[in-house]
Amino acid sequence: MKKNKITSYILITLPLFILLLVLWSNRCFNKPKIDEVIYTLSTKVGGTDPKIILGAIYTVLIPVIIFSIIYFIVSKYIKDEKIYKYLKIFGIIFIVFDLCFIDNNYELIKNIKLSLTRSNFIKDNYVKTSLDSVSFDNDKSNLIVIYSESMESSYMDKDNSGLYDKNYIPKLTELAKENTSFINKDGGAYPLDTASWTTAGIVSVTSGITIKPSIKDIFNRDSAYSYKNIVTLSDILKYNGYSTEFMLGSDVSFGAKEEYLKAHNIDVIYDLNYAKENNKVKEEDLYGWGIKDVDLFNLAKDELDMLSKKDNPFFLSILTVDTHAPSGTSYEECALQSEKDYFSAIRCSDQHIYEFIEYLKRKDYFDNTVIVILGDHLSMSSRIKKDNNRRIYNTIINSKRERNNISDREYANIDMFPTILYALGADIKEDKLGLGVNLYSDNKTLIEEYGYEKVNNELSSYSKFYNENIANVN
């Protein structure tokens, strides 16, 4: 009887745990892609906002513990062996229900089919980047890239290619209109399933590839995500004499960002731990993820003053976090009193980025600095309207290049890799790097050539070429 009691407990508790975990994940992250889930399980999650962890404990762990206590108390009084037989049958049914529920939420069957489908799409379209693929003249501009967490062009109003009656990012809309932006009538960059979380977004922008996690990676944590044998944006700029720095207000070890940045010639990684070690922040000024965006931008001002005094050009990346799902972080001075908290976080981020750009305009180095503002991926917050037309924001300030017809492009963040370099004044062989196409050129992007759905599916399919030549895994 003891064996049957334990077996019944496992058959019921395991699917219960999985069900609660999926429900919590959906509420916090709005049905994340299966690639995101696998990737998260494969990497370090230290530095996560405690509110998210507490939410998981209250929603998943505590109910399972309560159920376990009740189960073993009640089981002491069960004498009939048949009850455990019925419980085991119920457990098996529960597991089948879970599988159907997971498939409904994460398109499990579709993703399994894609992972088993051998594809040559990446092999046929990939252009290997080398340090000689890009050339600069002697007049090199500085580069600042602002990765705005979950920033979408969709937050604009309908008159500006957004999805809402109200414009939640009026300042970023203004910057897009005044400068170079590849936001068209349908919005900005298309979201790719294999670039739908922060690290994947950074990798796509800086290398022209996406991240393809596999179940094996869960047991081989972080080793597959440094991409040591490819050449990235920071590698190219470092080779051409740039100082390179990456700033973020959270712990850089989260999501294997540290492994990727260290593998690709980033001189200084200025994260929460770096700020603490160098007495740049006070504990009382920190919040969930770490340093607030408004404080991060103030720290970036000091770094820029230092970098601008050097004899060589600089490349500074800044990753914001205040608009991270599920609810974001807003501030009284910029919050929307009549709106839900997440939209207040969006409006505050819009204001803080704009104020930072206005500050930069007053600096001597501004005119010789190309500034790129872009979203890393679509928002995972369940507070955002569900719509297939959601797109990712981008704007390039002080671009050294011009193109008349930039409002008709269909593209993804992988195309920003060669585009940023070209905007910086570099010449690129064939206007292609990785899987990306220079958007200033007349070359078709993968999405323009094959269509969004096909590209998205092909990048999720199994690619021996990708594993051996890009990710360097077997």
Side-chain angles (χ1 to χ4, degrees):
M1 182 177 288
K2 184 177 180 180
K3 182 180 179 181
N4 286 332
K5 179 168 70 174
I6 297 298
T7 303
S8 300
Y9 170 76
I10 293 172
L11 286 174
I12 295 173
T13 307
L14 181 61
L16 173 64
F17 175 80
I18 293 172
L19 176 63
L20 293 173
L21 191 62
V22 172
L23 290 172
W24 167 79
S25 177
N26 287 351
R27 187 167 66 253
C28 280
F29 304 112
N30 198 18
K31 294 186 178 182
K33 305 295 183 183
I34 192 67
D35 289 316
E36 297 169 37
V37 175
I38 295 172
Y39 185 84
T40 301
L41 294 173
S42 304
T43 59
K44 298 173 184 175
V45 293
T48 304
D49 186 343
K51 289 188 295 185
I52 295 176
I53 296 173
L54 286 173
I57 291 172
Y58 292 140
T59 308
V60 182
L61 195 57
I62 290 179
V64 169
I65 291 173
I66 292 173
F67 168 77
S68 299
I69 293 171
I70 294 172
Y71 179 89
F72 284 107
I73 289 175
V74 172
S75 65
K76 289 182 178 180
Y77 302 97
I78 295 177
K79 306 298 182 184
D80 191 344
E81 190 77 18
K82 289 182 180 179
I83 292 178
Y84 291 115
K85 178 182 178 181
Y86 296 139
L87 287 175
K88 284 191 283 187
I89 294 172
F90 173 76
I92 293 170
I93 295 172
F94 200 173
I95 290 171
V96 172
F97 169 81
D98 260 12
L99 291 172
C100 295
F101 187 70
I102 291 171
D103 179 56
N104 181 60
N105 282 270
Y106 299 138
E107 297 183 311
L108 186 62
I109 294 176
K110 173 188 172 183
N111 280 282
I112 290 174
K113 287 181 178 178
L114 286 174
S115 67
L116 295 175
T117 302
R118 290 181 174 268
S119 169
N120 288 321
F121 183 83
I122 294 177
K123 179 182 180 180
D124 294 341
N125 291 282
Y126 181 74
V127 176
K128 185 177 181 179
T129 305
S130 69
L131 295 173
D132 296 326
S133 300
V134 177
S135 59
F136 288 84
D137 58 26
N138 293 326
D139 183 22
K140 297 172 184 173
S141 294
N142 305 308
L143 175 63
I144 299 174
V145 175
I146 301 173
Y147 299 97
S148 180
E149 170 67 42
S150 306
M151 187 56 67
E152 303 183 23
S153 60
S154 318
Y155 303 151
M156 297 177 180
D157 56 8
K158 294 176 182 177
D159 291 337
N160 289 290
S161 76
L163 299 178
Y164 297 90
D165 294 327
K166 183 175 186 176
N167 193 339
Y168 291 105
I169 51 171
K171 299 297 185 182
L172 289 177
T173 303
E174 180 182 332
L175 288 174
K177 289 180 176 180
E178 293 175 349
N179 299 282
T180 302
S181 178
F182 293 92
I183 296 173
N184 56 42
K185 60 183 176 60
D186 297 318
Y190 278 82
L192 298 173
D193 288 353
T194 48
S196 58
W197 61 98
T198 296
T199 307
I202 293 170
V203 170
S204 67
V205 169
T206 56
S207 70
I209 64 164
T210 62
I211 293 180
K212 295 165 62 65
S214 69
I215 297 294
K216 291 189 299 182
D217 297 336
I218 297 174
F219 308 99
N220 190 23
R221 299 171 69 84
D222 296 338
S223 63
Y225 304 125
S226 63
Y227 295 98
K228 293 180 180 180
N229 59 330
I230 65 169
V231 173
T232 69
L233 178 61
S234 52
D235 293 324
I236 291 170
L237 295 183
K238 185 65 180 177
Y239 178 74
N240 283 278
Y242 281 71
S243 296
T244 57
E245 182 168 344
F246 196 105
M247 296 187 72
L248 65 163
S250 55
D251 187 336
V252 73
S253 68
F254 180 88
K257 289 188 288 291
E258 184 175 24
E259 286 76 5
Y260 179 73
L261 297 176
K262 282 185 175 180
H264 294 288
N265 284 297
I266 296 295
D267 298 330
V268 177
I269 299 176
Y270 194 132
D271 72 335
L272 173 61
N273 297 320
Y274 179 95
K276 286 181 176 179
E277 290 168 5
N278 290 275
N279 299 315
K280 300 291 186 179
V281 292
K282 298 177 181 178
E283 286 291 339
E284 57 266 29
D285 293 331
L286 303 178
Y287 81 119
W289 283 100
I291 303 171
K292 300 172 185 174
D293 286 352
V294 65
D295 294 330
L296 181 66
F297 282 126
N298 286 330
L299 292 170
K301 294 173 185 178
D302 294 335
E303 289 300 294
L304 284 166
D305 285 342
M306 179 271 295
L307 289 168
S308 64
K309 292 175 183 176
K310 292 185 176 183
D311 294 331
N312 56 320
F314 63 79
F315 167 37
L316 175 67
S317 298
I318 303 171
L319 172 63
T320 70
V321 74
D322 281 355
T323 44
H324 199 288
S327 57
T329 301
S330 58
Y331 309 92
E332 187 175 344
E333 66 271 15
C334 54
L336 299 167
Q337 301 301 326
S338 60
E339 299 290 346
K340 296 178 181 178
D341 50 2
Y342 192 72
F343 286 97
S344 287
I346 293 169
R347 173 58 68 85
C348 284
S349 184
D350 173 74
Q351 182 67 32
H352 291 152
I353 293 173
Y354 179 79
E355 289 173 352
F356 182 62
I357 299 301
E358 288 299 296
Y359 166 84
L360 294 178
K361 288 179 179 179
R362 299 191 295 270
K363 305 301 289 185
D364 293 338
Y365 55 79
F366 174 77
D367 290 336
N368 192 41
T369 302
V370 175
I371 304 166
V372 181
I373 309 168
L374 42 72
D376 53 352
H377 53 73
L378 294 184
S379 174
M380 300 177 196
S381 175
S382 59
R383 293 160 173 81
I384 297 300
K385 181 185 294 187
K386 295 180 180 179
D387 194 295
N388 291 330
N389 294 316
R390 289 167 62 188
R391 301 288 187 270
I392 303 168
Y393 177 90
N394 67 74
T395 289
I396 303 175
I397 300 170
N398 288 340
S399 173
K400 298 182 73 173
R401 310 286 189 150
E402 292 184 4
R403 185 179 190 275
N404 294 325
N405 301 316
I406 61 173
S407 62
D408 57 350
R409 305 305 309 253
E410 293 186 317
Y411 60 98
N413 267 357
I414 52 175
D415 298 301
M416 295 308 294
F417 176 35
T419 301
I420 290 172
L421 282 164
Y422 191 77
L424 195 57
D427 291 319
I428 304 166
K429 293 178 181 178
E430 300 180 1
D431 285 311
K432 297 179 181 180
L433 295 173
L435 295 171
V437 169
N438 173 19
L439 296 176
Y440 288 90
S441 74
D442 294 323
N443 292 321
K444 286 185 176 182
T445 67
L446 293 181
I447 291 176
E448 288 168 339
E449 187 168 351
Y450 299 104
Y452 170 61
E453 186 175 353
K454 178 176 175 61
V455 172
N456 201 29
N457 286 338
E458 290 285 359
L459 293 182
S460 295
S461 300
Y462 175 80
S463 170
K464 182 180 179 181
F465 174 85
Y466 177 96
N467 288 345
E468 294 181 351
N469 296 276
I470 298 175
N472 195 29
V473 295
N474 296 315

